[in-house]
């Protein structure tokens, strides 16, 4: 018998409990309450807030702390809303879709899918991405929509629960394994597959994302280039209350004859599309994930007290760091005191 962690069991019970509650009260009320709880979480979850703050600062270096914190608070509120919407997934039906979901580009996507080349639907971890996947699956039910999922070894109960919710919404769930045959066979039959374009990048390559190299999954592009599959870039934006807008845009592959160059070039192009979307709605993106964790690029700040010898020592340390497999960009800022009293207190401390 499998042993489950306390955290996994508690989260499983939480989602199941919320799922039972939201079944019998208006979804808009549930979303309102959860967004208020998300606003409180912004103040209490300091570790998550610090990770997200750093990521937003990397993506938008010119944003002020006040603006970043405003985005962060909205991000916490959106994540809380996403949790209650996941719990509502077993009850999604056509009535829900007609009331809460607006599609842009769906008709064009359905027309392209008729060419029987299959379709890869790329998404980011943004907005209520599980809801986005569920309603997209309903819209593409004639094309056997399948979503690739990565099993969470630390949370098997929650993973199984999510998969059961996905299956109820016309999803086919395909765990990511070493075997690529099921994916290839599905695409050759003209079916649709949903894949994430940001997380789960083991075996990916470093591609620019907001001006810094980020490890990016290459599986979707490899399949598309080899099988000449349709690619659709999808993103989701929250509207008032529990409403969402899902946009699907076809992407035209660039081919130069050099496979490695084609992978990098197309990934760069797709990242540029997502950058424009995130810049327009930064609060929708899941900033808590360490998107640049494997990037060799780093920023450093050298504080100078105006003494040449001290500055040379600091720069010498940076020279040593640059001998590692890192690319360090640094700025030198000279520390100045407003008055002599501040200077005296600083040196005394």
């Amino acid at each position: 018998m499998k042993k489950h962690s306390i955290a996994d069991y508690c989260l499983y019970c939480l989602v199941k409990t919320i799922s039972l509650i939201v079944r019998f009260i208006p979804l808009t009320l549930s979303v309102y309450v959860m967004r208020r709880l998300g606003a409180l979480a912004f103040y209490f979850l300091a570790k998550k807030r610090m990770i997200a703050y750093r990521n937003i600062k990397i993506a938008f270096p010119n944003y002020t702390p006040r603006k970043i914190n405003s985005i962060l608070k909205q991000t916490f509120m959106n994540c809380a809303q996403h949790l209650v919407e996941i719990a509502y997934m077993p009850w999604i039906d056509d009535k829900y879709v007609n009331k809460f979901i607006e599609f842009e580009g769906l008709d064009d996507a359905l027309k392209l899918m008729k060419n029987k080349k299959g379709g890869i639907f790329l998404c980011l971890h943004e907005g209520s991405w599980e809801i986005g996947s569920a309603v997209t699956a309903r819209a593409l039910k004639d094309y056997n929509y399948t979503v690739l999922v990565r099993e969470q070894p630390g949370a098997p109960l929650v993973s199984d629960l999510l998969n059961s919710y996905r299956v109820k919404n016309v999803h086919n769930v395909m765990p990511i394994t070493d075997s690529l045959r099921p994916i290839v066979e599905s695409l050759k039959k003209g079916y649709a597959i949903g894949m994430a374009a940001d997380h789960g990048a083991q075996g990916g390559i470093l591609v620019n994302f907001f001006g810094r190299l980020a490890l990016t999954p290459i599986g979707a592009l490899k399949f598309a280039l080899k099988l000449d599959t349709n690619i659709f870039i999808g993103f989701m934006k929250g509207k008032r209350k529990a409403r969402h807008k899902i946009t699907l845009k076809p992407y035209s592959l660039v081919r130069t004859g050099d496979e490695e160059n084609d992978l990098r070039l197309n990934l760069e192009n797709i990242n540029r599309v997502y950058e424009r979307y995130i810049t327009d709605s930064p609060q929708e993106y899941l900033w808590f994930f360490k998107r640049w964790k494997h990037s060799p690029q780093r920023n450093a700040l050298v504080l100078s007290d105006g003494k040449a010898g001290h500055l040379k020592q600091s720069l010498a340390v940076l020279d040593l760091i640059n001998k590692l497999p890192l690319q360090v960009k640094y700025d030198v800022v000279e520390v100045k005191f407003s008055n002599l009293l501040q200077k005296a207190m600083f040196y005394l401390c």
Side-chain angles (χ1 to χ4, degrees):
M1 184 176 178
K2 283 186 177 181
K3 290 184 178 181
H4 303 289
S5 69
I6 295 176
D8 182 28
Y9 184 74
C10 289
L11 186 56
Y12 171 85
C13 292
L14 176 63
V15 176
K16 285 288 287 185
T17 302
I18 295 175
S19 183
L20 291 173
I21 293 172
V22 299
R23 177 69 179 92
F24 299 102
I25 62 176
L27 180 60
T28 51
L29 177 60
S30 301
V31 166
Y32 176 83
V33 172
M34 287 301 290
R35 288 186 68 84
R36 302 288 77 76
L37 293 175
L40 288 176
F42 166 78
Y43 297 102
F44 290 102
L45 300 181
K47 186 175 180 181
K48 291 290 185 183
R49 188 174 68 243
M50 289 173 64
I51 292 172
Y53 186 101
R54 178 179 179 273
N55 285 337
I56 296 174
K57 190 65 178 176
I58 290 173
F60 306 105
N62 296 325
Y63 281 9
T64 64
R66 183 175 182 178
K67 185 168 184 178
I68 293 175
N69 281 318
S70 176
I71 294 170
L72 263 178
K73 191 172 183 179
Q74 289 292 321
T75 301
F76 271 92
M77 294 170 73
N78 288 340
C79 286
Q81 176 178 342
H82 188 202
L83 177 61
V84 77
E85 288 178 323
I86 287 176
Y88 191 80
M89 280 175 65
W91 322 117
I92 288 178
D93 54 16
D94 291 339
K95 183 179 178 181
Y96 166 88
V97 175
N98 293 332
K99 182 177 181 179
F100 294 107
I101 303 298
E102 174 188 346
F103 272 105
E104 180 182 338
L106 176 60
D107 291 340
D108 292 335
L110 291 172
K111 287 178 183 178
L112 271 176
M113 287 295 293
K114 290 180 179 179
N115 63 16
K116 298 184 179 180
K117 292 184 177 181
I120 295 175
F121 289 77
L122 292 177
C123 70
L124 294 179
H125 286 79
E126 51 81 26
S128 293
W129 64 86
E130 288 289 355
I131 293 295
S133 182
V135 297
T136 301
R138 296 182 70 85
L140 292 163
K141 58 185 178 182
D142 292 338
Y143 296 96
N144 201 44
Y145 186 90
T146 300
V147 61
L148 293 186
V149 298
R150 186 175 296 279
E151 298 297 330
Q152 302 298 325
L157 280 174
V158 176
S159 289
D160 291 344
L161 181 63
L162 281 177
N163 286 340
S164 70
Y165 286 179
R166 289 162 178 153
V167 169
K168 287 181 180 180
N169 285 281
V170 205
H171 278 64
N172 292 302
V173 177
M174 186 184 297
I176 297 175
T177 64
D178 293 334
S179 176
L180 304 178
R181 181 175 294 177
I183 302 174
V184 173
E185 289 178 352
S186 292
L187 293 173
K188 283 184 175 180
K189 291 177 181 177
Y191 294 160
I193 292 184
M195 300 185 186
D198 50 354
H199 299 191
Q202 289 85 348
I205 60 176
L206 291 167
V207 178
N208 272 306
F209 186 60
F210 281 106
R212 179 177 289 197
L213 294 175
L215 199 61
T216 306
I218 60 175
L221 265 298
K222 276 194 169 182
F223 291 128
L225 288 167
K226 183 176 181 180
L227 303 174
D228 194 27
T229 302
N230 299 308
I231 287 190
F232 303 92
I233 301 176
F235 27 84
M236 189 173 189
K237 185 174 182 178
K239 303 182 76 175
R240 292 182 67 251
K241 299 182 179 180
R243 294 177 174 83
H244 301 279
K245 179 180 179 180
I246 299 174
T247 302
L248 300 173
K249 291 187 175 181
Y251 173 75
S252 299
L253 287 167
V254 177
R255 297 179 183 273
T256 66
D258 183 332
E259 182 179 350
E260 185 175 343
N261 183 58
D262 288 348
L263 277 174
R264 188 174 301 279
L265 184 59
N266 283 289
L267 286 175
E268 292 271 6
N269 290 343
I270 291 171
N271 274 355
R272 296 298 81 75
V273 175
Y274 279 127
E275 283 175 11
R276 289 193 293 272
Y277 166 74
I278 294 172
T279 300
D280 180 62
S281 304
Q283 74 281 358
E284 298 286 351
Y285 192 57
L286 187 68
W287 294 107
F288 307 112
F289 178 74
K290 296 180 181 179
R291 188 71 176 86
W292 292 276
K293 179 180 179 180
H294 301 285
S295 175
Q297 296 170 313
R298 297 290 186 273
N299 293 332
L301 178 65
V302 178
L303 298 179
S304 171
D305 59 3
K307 297 181 180 179
H310 293 172
L311 179 59
K312 286 182 179 179
Q313 290 175 1
S314 297
L315 296 179
V317 172
L318 281 176
D319 287 339
L320 290 174
I321 294 174
N322 274 320
K323 292 180 180 179
L324 300 171
L326 295 173
Q327 304 168 19
V328 181
K329 178 183 177 182
Y330 69 89
D331 292 308
V332 177
V333 175
E334 185 173 346
V335 177
K336 295 181 179 180
F337 298 94
S338 299
N339 53 60
L340 291 176
L341 179 61
Q342 284 186 357
K343 187 174 181 178
M345 290 298 295
F346 175 80
Y347 283 110
L348 178 62
C349 292

